[in-house]
Amino acid sequence: MSPPPIPEVLVLCGHGNYGPDADDHVRRVAAAAREAGQYPEYLIYGNDTNARGRRKHNFLIGRAPAVAYTFVNLLYSDAERACFVGNQDTRQIFEACMQYFQPTNDFFFIEEGRSGLAENVMAGRRALYGDRETDRHTLLLNGDLPLLFHLNAPLKDPDMQSYDMIFDANSRELQGGLLPREYHLRLEAPDPTTGASRMFWVKESNYFLLKLKFLTAEMMDSVYRSRRIHDAESGSWRDLFSQIYFRGLRIFRTLAILLRRHAWHNILSRLSHARDNWIFDCRQAEQLIEYGLRVLGYQARCRVKVTNRDPGAKKDLDSFGDWSYLNAMYALSGRDFHLVYPHAEAIHGFARDMMPRLKRRVEIFRNYPAYMNREFRNFGLLEPYDRRGNFQPRLVAEQTVFEDILFHREFVQSLKLPGKRAGGPRRPRA
């Protein structure tokens, strides 16, 4: 059987408009996390007025915007066609990448909508495929994953042969537990090295390999609003779960799936109000997703697995703490950043040649250290830049970051990549 075609890529660099109380919403979510005993994330929420420049995908990691890393990561992968969705500032960065690298790949940009995730995914689907319903897989990729350079792993996932939707969960065990992250459940899955069954603490993936024909705007809005990070003001995932799985006679099929494995553990956890103590095996998770899709009128084959070893897949840029952590990795790596991020020369060349131009076109880049210091002061956080504009890793312990750098280096070495690539403009395909 011939391998499946390389998926087209939809890079999402937009978010919803959180309105004039965006800053207060950031503080409320952080306070709620602190009260629950979790790491208080100060999320990067913006709006169309006073915080319009607060866009995580555009924030600098070292000297280049996060989305420029994503562009480079796709450029050095086998991706042939990609649609980027973002705001006007993101467009300026994208066009600078196109001018500098001059790819022959079919990369293009569309302006984001005002309604958020679902509208942008639907617009991206139209841009990639027009009005036709395609049976091809698409890599739905968040544009705030600067260290996710090994994109050929999802682009060449062999499970595309047999499944319509593939979810490779992020895990503490395979990707490291140094970066502060909340893990809400455990999955029983085969160890990718030994094949023996084991438990993994997991959280949702930051990319999805699926056929976009199974996504509707209503479905995406419901799932996005139900994420724990938005529980302060929206319906929780528990509400969504009840609506789909426990209405009417659906409860019997749902219970048949839930009671198949780890039933007593989950029942006792529920009775004791033990949060984040659920256990499922991968087949249960697959059956639940497939049943939920059938409720919504779709027949899809789903694959849930825990095989992702890439620590960069977990390091998204949701909060000011994430931004500080990634910049601490950059700063403490120094001249060895290429051992953590193999495309370092390319991103440094882009920053050297194109950032002076972007500083004239994108407001937050004109004096980026001053801008970020104001943002951190606004939320009562220690300023990240000193008077000379040098980054100071003040939100995380340097030893933790150093150990994480070593973990990333071990992953890069395990891939046995070819030698250094040139750092200047290139044409990857004739």
Side-chain angles (χ1 to χ4, degrees):
M1 183 181 295
S2 60
I6 298 295
E8 296 179 347
V9 185
L10 179 54
V11 185
L12 298 172
C13 306
H15 61 55
N17 175 22
Y18 288 88
D21 67 338
D23 288 1
D24 290 336
H25 186 52
V26 173
R27 297 185 184 96
R28 285 195 296 270
V29 173
R34 187 181 295 106
E35 291 171 5
Q38 299 171 356
Y39 185 78
E41 295 276 21
Y42 286 83
L43 300 168
I44 305 172
Y45 289 154
N47 57 50
D48 286 345
T49 54
N50 61 301
R52 65 183 180 276
R54 188 189 296 159
R55 181 61 60 90
K56 59 184 183 178
H57 314 84
N58 302 341
F59 279 10
L60 298 185
I61 306 301
R63 294 181 295 145
V67 69
Y69 285 76
T70 300
F71 186 101
V72 170
N73 296 339
L74 283 168
L75 189 68
Y76 284 96
S77 77
D78 287 345
E80 297 176 355
R81 194 160 187 258
C83 173
F84 288 70
V85 186
N87 68 358
Q88 280 290 343
D89 288 346
T90 311
R91 180 187 288 276
Q92 294 289 343
I93 299 165
F94 175 84
E95 290 177 350
C97 287
M98 292 292 289
Q99 181 175 352
Y100 179 73
F101 292 106
Q102 302 179 32
T104 56
N105 316 56
D106 184 11
F107 291 174
F108 60 96
F109 186 94
I110 64 171
E111 198 81 16
E112 68 184 8
R114 295 178 58 86
S115 301
L117 174 70
E119 180 183 1
N120 291 333
V121 172
M122 294 296 103
R125 184 171 74 176
R126 289 191 299 272
L128 285 170
Y129 305 112
D131 294 328
R132 72 186 190 277
E133 185 177 274
T134 179
D135 206 44
R136 286 175 59 99
H137 286 82
T138 302
L139 180 63
L140 201 62
L141 177 66
N142 285 333
D144 62 341
L145 294 162
L147 300 185
L148 182 59
F149 67 90
H150 188 47
L151 284 172
N152 273 353
L155 287 172
K156 295 184 175 182
D157 193 322
D159 284 328
M160 286 189 290
Q161 293 277 18
S162 305
Y163 297 95
D164 301 306
M165 294 184 170
I166 302 164
F167 305 95
D168 198 354
N170 286 325
S171 71
R172 186 170 64 188
E173 288 75 12
L174 297 182
Q175 297 166 288
L178 293 164
L179 175 69
R181 283 290 184 263
E182 296 296 331
Y183 299 87
H184 307 310
L185 59 87
R186 280 174 286 176
L187 273 181
E188 182 182 6
D191 187 289
T193 302
T194 67
S197 181
R198 62 174 292 190
M199 294 291 181
F200 296 90
W201 281 104
V202 300
K203 67 187 303 294
E204 73 276 6
S205 177
N206 288 313
Y207 61 76
F208 303 93
L209 192 56
L210 44 76
K211 297 177 180 178
L212 291 181
K213 67 180 184 179
F214 294 112
L215 295 185
T216 66
E218 295 77 16
M219 180 197 307
M220 285 183 285
D221 281 337
S222 296
V223 172
Y224 184 74
R225 286 196 304 267
S226 72
R227 294 173 66 214
R228 177 183 296 270
I229 208 167
H230 298 287
D231 277 355
E233 293 192 354
S234 302
S236 72
W237 66 267
R238 296 177 180 85
D239 296 332
L240 178 64
F241 197 89
S242 297
Q243 292 171 14
I244 293 177
Y245 293 102
F246 288 115
R247 283 192 176 179
L249 297 178
R250 298 176 199 163
I251 188 173
F252 296 107
R253 175 57 182 158
T254 301
L255 290 176
I257 298 172
L258 293 177
L259 296 178
R260 191 171 65 84
R261 293 276 290 171
H262 307 296
W264 282 113
H265 172 89
N266 291 333
I267 290 171
L268 292 174
S269 296
R270 180 69 181 88
L271 292 175
S272 62
H273 303 288
R275 299 184 62 182
D276 299 339
N277 196 31
W278 301 92
I279 299 177
F280 300 101
D281 69 16
C282 285
R283 184 54 192 149
Q284 277 179 299
E286 291 165 357
Q287 289 176 327
L288 282 171
I289 296 171
E290 289 171 353
Y291 182 54
L293 288 169
R294 282 201 299 274
V295 169
L296 297 171
Y298 297 98
Q299 293 285 339
R301 298 160 298 169
C302 299
R303 176 82 161 100
V304 174
K305 57 185 179 179
V306 188
T307 65
N308 194 346
R309 297 188 303 111
D310 191 340
K314 193 168 61 175
K315 288 184 170 63
D316 56 348
L317 190 53
D318 279 343
S319 69
F320 289 99
D322 293 342
W323 175 86
S324 184
Y325 194 98
L326 286 165
N327 274 278
M329 289 189 67
Y330 179 90
L332 295 178
S333 293
R335 294 182 178 179
D336 289 334
F337 185 56
H338 67 279
L339 300 177
V340 171
Y341 181 69
H343 308 322
E345 288 189 13
I347 206 72
H348 287 157
F350 171 83
R352 179 190 63 242
D353 292 352
M354 304 307 291
M355 284 307 297
R357 181 176 309 179
L358 285 171
K359 286 181 180 179
R360 297 193 296 269
R361 297 180 178 180
V362 179
E363 183 178 351
I364 67 170
F365 295 156
R366 291 170 189 165
N367 189 340
Y368 190 75
Y371 168 77
M372 290 304 291
N373 281 348
R374 286 196 303 272
E375 290 281 45
F376 273 61
R377 285 197 306 271
N378 182 36
F379 298 109
L381 302 172
L382 291 172
E383 295 179 7
Y385 289 99
D386 64 17
R387 293 181 179 179
R388 295 183 177 181
N390 298 313
F391 175 80
Q392 305 292 320
R394 292 173 174 170
L395 291 188
V396 290
E398 289 192 11
Q399 182 62 33
T400 298
V401 176
F402 181 70
E403 291 174 10
D404 208 357
I405 289 171
L406 295 179
F407 187 80
H408 275 255
R409 290 174 61 168
E410 289 174 2
F411 172 72
V412 173
Q413 290 170 359
S414 74
L415 298 177
K416 296 181 173 58
L417 299 172
K420 280 188 178 182
R421 297 186 187 268
R426 73 179 204 123
R427 294 182 184 271
R429 290 182 180 83

